[in-house]
Each structure stands twice: as structure tokens, then as C-alpha cells.
């Protein structure tokens, strides 16, 4: 008998717990006293849809007490089933409402489902923060290298958080603007004297277009003088010109040496021909003696009177 009684009590307790679990009456009563109108059967059906009724009801109560309009149970359930962060969304809506920022439930859930921290985005929109841009190296028109360090103050643009570019885009655009401004300066001294000219021109370019942020200010924290790039380039150019001149001179020298060697060869060839011709003279003389052609064509009888006349004239 006592065993059966214990079993009966246990069954009753389990059954009561199961009924209270399926029918969250206490949660329904809390919602009613908090001014949130939700059907008890809706809470029951949430159990079968694997949606925690406590989270939905608490979120509804928090939104109702903060005065956030147009939020229904179905909207909260949908966002939860889409793996969204309900608590962060509701807190972000409350913070935005208190700060007079334009943000509705649809935008907040879209930001949350896009993978961004919607609560942190609203905090940044309320309290701007500083983006540190790495040291930027640029060269002015006179060839002097300048190294600038910039600080960019931004705040979130809630209307462009979904699909907007992030901090890296802001850094890249600011760096591009600074490089362009320094490159346009005729002298590095002007940049050193007027660093605010960089901030003013960069801000005028609308660098925050298409990003998730709004640029409030660009501050040049420091500018250092680097190397004289212009002089280095001129030295390199002079070295290159010198190498080219040396190469051309060497080419001309090689051509002159080649011409000299060619002329020497021609001289040797001419000398060989002369020697060959001189070698033929003795042979020609010996042949002339043998044939008697050495004195041929000389008439001694005709030449004799002429010689006598010449001798008489001399006397």
C-alpha cells in the first residue's frame, strides 16, 4: 500500500510538471500582468516548434515596457528560428529609441542576420570611435618622402550597415586620399606647414560613400620626413646613363680595334704582294739576258751622232 501511494504521488507530480511545462501558465500570467497580450495556446504551440516561450515573452515584455511599437510574437518567433539574437535586437531597438536614432525591427533583424553585432553598431552610432590608419608613405612633387599618421573618427551608419563596406575600406580610402594630396603638393614644406589641408581635401572627397560608417573627422597626428626620393632617382638615372655611355664607348672602342686589325691585315697583304712582285724581277732579268731582250730596241748608230753633238756643245 505505501509503495502504490508513492508511485501514485510520483505519477501525479510528473504529470503536473508535464502539464505545467506544456502549459506555461505562470509565464502567461506574467505576460498578462505586464501588459503583453499573448494567447496561452500560442505559448503551448511554441514548445512543439522548439521555440522557448520564456525568451519570447521576456522580449515582448521588455519591448512593451520600453515603448517599442509594432512587435508581435510571430516576428520574434521568426527571428529566433532564423538563428537570430533576440536579446541583442531588442536592446538595440531600445537604445536607438532612447538616442532618437531611426531604427525599426526589420532593419535591426537584418543587421543581426547579416552577421553584424547590432547592439555594438548602435553603441558606435551613439558614441563615435576612432579608427587607427597605419602609417602612410607618400612623395611630394619635389621628391621628398613624407610619412603621415592619421586618425579617423567614425560612427555607424545604421541605414547602410547591411551591404556597407567595413573599416578596411575606410582605411584604404583615407590612405589613398592622403597619398594623392601629398603628391599634388609642389613642396613638402607646404604639407608640414598646413597638415589640415590634407584633412580638408580628403573629407571633401566623400570617402564614406557606400560604407557602414560616417566619417566625422580625419586628424593628421604626425608627419615625418623620409628619404629624398627625387635625388635617389636622379642618382639612379645618372648611374644608368653612365652605364649606357660606357657601353657605347666600349662598343666604339671595339669597332676601332677591329678596324685597326683589319687595316693591319690589309698592310700585310699589300707587303706580301710587293715581296711577291720583287721576287719576280730577278727571274725576269735572267730571262732577258738569256734571250738578249735586255738591249733590244736600242740603235747605237743613230744614237752616236747625237752623243757627239752633245759633246761638241759642251766644249
Amino acid at each position: 500500500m505505501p509503495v502504490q501511494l508513492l508511485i501514485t504521488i510520483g505519477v501525479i507530480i510528473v504529470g503536473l510538471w508535464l502539464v505545467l511545462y506544456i502549459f506555461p501558465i505562470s509565464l502567461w500570467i506574467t505576460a498578462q500582468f505586464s501588459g503583453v497580450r499573448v494567447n496561452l495556446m500560442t505559448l503551448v504551440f511554441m514548445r512543439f516548434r522548439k521555440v522557448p516561450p520564456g525568451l519570447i515573452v521576456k522580449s515582448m515584455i521588455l519591448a512593451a515596457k520600453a515603448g517599442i511599437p509594432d512587435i508581435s510574437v510571430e516576428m520574434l518567433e521568426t527571428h529566433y528560428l532564423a538563428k537570430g539574437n533576440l536579446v541583442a535586437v531588442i536592446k538595440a531597438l531600445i537604445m536607438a529609441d532612447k538616442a532618437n536614432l531611426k531604427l525599426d525591427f526589420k532593419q535591426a533583424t537584418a543587421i543581426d542576420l547579416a552577421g553584424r553585432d547590432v547592439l555594438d553598431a548602435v553603441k558606435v552610432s551613439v558614441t563615435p570611435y576612432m579608427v587607427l590608419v597605419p602609417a602612410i608613405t607618400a612623395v611630394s612633387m619635389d621628391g621628398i618622402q613624407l610619412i603621415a599618421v592619421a586618425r579617423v573618427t567614425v560612427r555607424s551608419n545604421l541605414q547602410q550597415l547591411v551591404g556597407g563596406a567595413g573599416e578596411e575600406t575606410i582605411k584604404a580610402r583615407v590612405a589613398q586620399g592622403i597619398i594623392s594630396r601629398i603628391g599634388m603638393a609642389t613642396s613638402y614644406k607646404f604639407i608640414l606647414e598646413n597638415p589640415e589641408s590634407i584633412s580638408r581635401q580628403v573629407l571633401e572627397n566623400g570617402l564614406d560613400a557606400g560604407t557602414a560608417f560616417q566619417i566625422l573627422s580625419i586628424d593628421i597626428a604626425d608627419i615625418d620626413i623620409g628619404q629624398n626620393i627625387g635625388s635617389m632617382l636622379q642618382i639612379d638615372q645618372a648611374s644608368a646613363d653612365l652605364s649606357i655611355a660606357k657601353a657605347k664607348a666600349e662598343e666604339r672602342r671595339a669597332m676601332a680595334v677591329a678596324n685597326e686589325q683589319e687595316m693591319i691585315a690589309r698592310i700585310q697583304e699589300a707587303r706580301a704582294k710587293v715581296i711577291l712582285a720583287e721576287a719576280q724581277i730577278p727571274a725576269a732579268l735572267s730571262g732577258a739576258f738569256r734571250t738578249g731582250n735586255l738591249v733590244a730596241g736600242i740603235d747605237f748608230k743613230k744614237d752616236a751622232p747625237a752623243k757627239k753633238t752633245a759633246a761638241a756643245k759642251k766644249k
Side-chain angles (χ1 to χ4, degrees):
M1 188 68 178
V3 176
Q4 293 180 351
L5 180 60
L6 291 176
I7 293 174
T8 303
I9 294 173
V11 170
I12 293 173
I13 293 174
V14 172
L16 183 61
W17 176 83
L18 184 60
V19 169
L20 292 177
Y21 176 77
I22 297 176
F23 295 91
I25 298 175
S26 61
L27 190 61
W28 176 77
I29 294 173
T30 302
Q32 296 299 318
F33 278 101
S34 299
V36 176
R37 302 304 175 186
V38 57
N39 195 335
L40 178 60
M41 296 306 298
T42 301
L43 300 178
V44 173
F45 290 140
M46 286 183 189
R47 297 290 189 189
F48 298 100
R49 290 192 291 267
K50 296 183 179 181
V51 177
L55 178 62
I56 301 299
V57 171
K58 289 179 181 179
S59 299
M60 287 289 296
I61 293 173
L62 190 60
K65 293 299 182 182
I68 308 299
D70 302 328
I71 296 180
S72 63
V73 175
E74 290 77 11
M75 296 167 64
L76 296 177
E77 279 193 77
T78 301
H79 188 62
Y80 177 83
L81 292 174
K83 307 300 182 181
N85 190 340
L86 272 180
V87 177
V89 169
I90 297 300
K91 289 183 178 180
L93 288 173
I94 294 174
M95 183 180 295
D97 181 69
K98 300 304 180 183
N100 294 323
L101 298 177
K102 186 179 179 181
L103 180 68
D104 55 22
F105 184 80
K106 183 178 180 180
Q107 289 178 327
T109 54
I111 295 170
D112 184 51
L113 294 178
R116 296 183 180 271
D117 190 339
V118 60
L119 184 58
D120 184 66
V122 175
K123 289 180 180 179
V124 173
S125 183
V126 174
T127 305
Y129 78 106
M130 185 174 292
V131 176
L132 304 180
V133 180
I136 303 162
T137 302
V139 181
S140 59
M141 295 180 66
D142 56 356
I144 304 300
Q145 183 185 65
L146 296 177
I147 303 172
V149 178
R151 301 289 184 267
V152 184
T153 304
V154 299
R155 66 181 177 189
S156 297
N157 189 344
L158 298 178
Q159 308 305 318
Q160 294 183 356
L161 273 177
V162 179
E167 288 186 17
E168 296 302 321
T169 301
I170 294 291
K171 293 178 182 180
R173 290 182 180 180
V174 170
Q176 178 182 357
I178 293 176
I179 292 173
S180 175
R181 180 64 189 90
I182 294 178
M184 293 171 56
T186 56
S187 174
Y188 74 98
K189 296 179 181 179
F190 176 79
I191 298 297
L192 295 178
E193 294 173 357
N194 304 281
E196 71 280 358
S197 63
I198 300 177
S199 304
R200 183 171 58 254
Q201 181 169 344
V202 172
L203 280 175
E204 291 174 355
N205 293 334
L207 302 180
D208 53 3
T211 66
F213 300 95
Q214 178 184 359
I215 297 178
L216 300 179
S217 67
I218 299 176
D219 304 310
I220 305 301
D222 186 24
I223 297 180
D224 293 329
I225 300 176
Q227 299 177 342
N228 192 336
I229 302 298
S231 298
M232 295 174 62
L233 292 176
Q234 291 177 0
I235 293 173
D236 293 341
Q237 184 63 44
S239 300
D241 293 341
L242 180 60
S243 299
I244 294 172
K246 287 182 178 180
K248 291 182 178 180
E250 182 64 23
E251 181 182 1
R252 290 192 296 269
R253 189 192 68 81
M255 291 179 63
V257 171
N259 290 333
E260 181 183 3
Q261 295 299 323
E262 184 179 358
M263 295 304 296
I264 292 174
R266 289 182 180 181
I267 292 172
Q268 294 297 330
E269 182 182 1
R271 287 179 178 177
K273 290 181 180 180
V274 171
I275 293 173
L276 181 62
E278 290 177 350
Q280 292 177 356
I281 292 174
L285 290 173
S286 63
F289 278 118
R290 286 195 301 270
T291 59
N293 292 330
L294 183 62
V295 294
I298 301 176
D299 190 354
F300 291 100
K301 293 181 178 181
K302 292 181 179 180
D303 293 340
K307 289 180 179 180
K308 291 180 180 180
T309 305
K313 289 181 178 182
K314 287 182 179 181
K315 291 181 179 181

